[in-house]
Amino acid sequence: MIRIATPEDIPVLHALVLELAAYEKALDEVVASEAQLAQALFGDRPAAYAHVATADDDGEVIGFALWFLNFSTWRGVHGIYLEDLYVRPERRGGGHGKALLTELARICVERGYERLEWSVLDWNAPSIAFYESLGARPQDEWTVYRLTDSALAGLGGAKP
């Protein structure tokens, strides 16, 4: 079952974020707290949205999709950027990941959004195969750039 996350899901969402970071070999990079996640999802001006996948037998939250709106100047409409998609390893293969992506695609179609995009680590062959089985295609001509930490502070603090 897929449903919209609620404030009561924050502890398990945070735990799943930590599990995802460990899977991606980047657990030491996670600094986000439960409070920050709650503010981002349920504060006065939500910056992100989340759906959860629950187990059929007991309703336990076993996966999530965390996303936000982006905008295409070329298409002139919003799209969804999927920041994280994660299903606990012992629950994979049950259709939960596909159900989460299906829900986001449904939202796109319903709202007139023309893109559903995300990034995947190039070594994550199982996820790449899964995404391609759904019809997703890599955008090989683009390279992602990122400013963080001192580089971001330096640029942001620079005087014109």
Side-chain angles (χ1 to χ4, degrees):
M1 181 174 144
I2 305 302
R3 63 174 173 77
I4 296 171
T6 67
E8 292 75 27
D9 294 318
I10 290 297
V12 71
L13 282 171
H14 190 259
L16 291 168
V17 166
L18 295 174
E19 287 180 31
L20 172 60
Y23 173 77
E24 291 183 349
K25 303 171 181 70
L27 184 57
D28 60 323
E29 295 179 33
V30 178
V31 296
S33 67
E34 287 185 21
Q36 288 173 307
L37 190 57
Q39 183 63 32
L41 293 171
F42 304 108
D44 292 338
R45 296 179 61 184
Y49 308 92
H51 285 75
V52 296
T54 59
D56 297 330
D57 52 355
D58 62 5
E60 173 193 4
V61 174
I62 58 171
F64 76 105
L66 192 139
W67 57 278
F68 55 87
L69 295 180
N70 59 14
F71 185 82
S72 170
T73 55
W74 290 11
R75 298 211 172 211
V77 296
H78 282 293
I80 286 178
Y81 186 84
L82 175 60
E83 179 66 21
D84 289 327
L85 176 70
Y86 181 75
V87 175
R88 288 192 159 137
E90 67 274 11
R91 297 296 192 141
R92 292 181 188 156
H96 299 91
K98 182 177 181 181
L100 285 162
L101 282 172
T102 298
E103 177 60 11
L104 297 187
R106 186 196 66 74
I107 291 168
C108 285
V109 170
E110 178 182 274
R111 297 181 187 178
Y113 303 162
E114 295 189 14
R115 289 182 179 166
L116 173 54
E117 297 179 313
W118 61 92
S119 297
V120 60
L121 291 165
D122 57 7
W123 57 258
N124 194 344
S127 292
I128 292 169
F130 167 63
Y131 298 144
E132 289 182 353
S133 77
L134 299 176
R137 296 294 169 251
Q139 301 297 299
D140 294 334
E141 67 274 12
W142 293 93
T143 300
V144 175
Y145 281 83
R146 178 178 294 157
L147 282 171
T148 61
D149 303 326
S150 62
L152 178 62
L155 183 61
K159 305 241 188 261

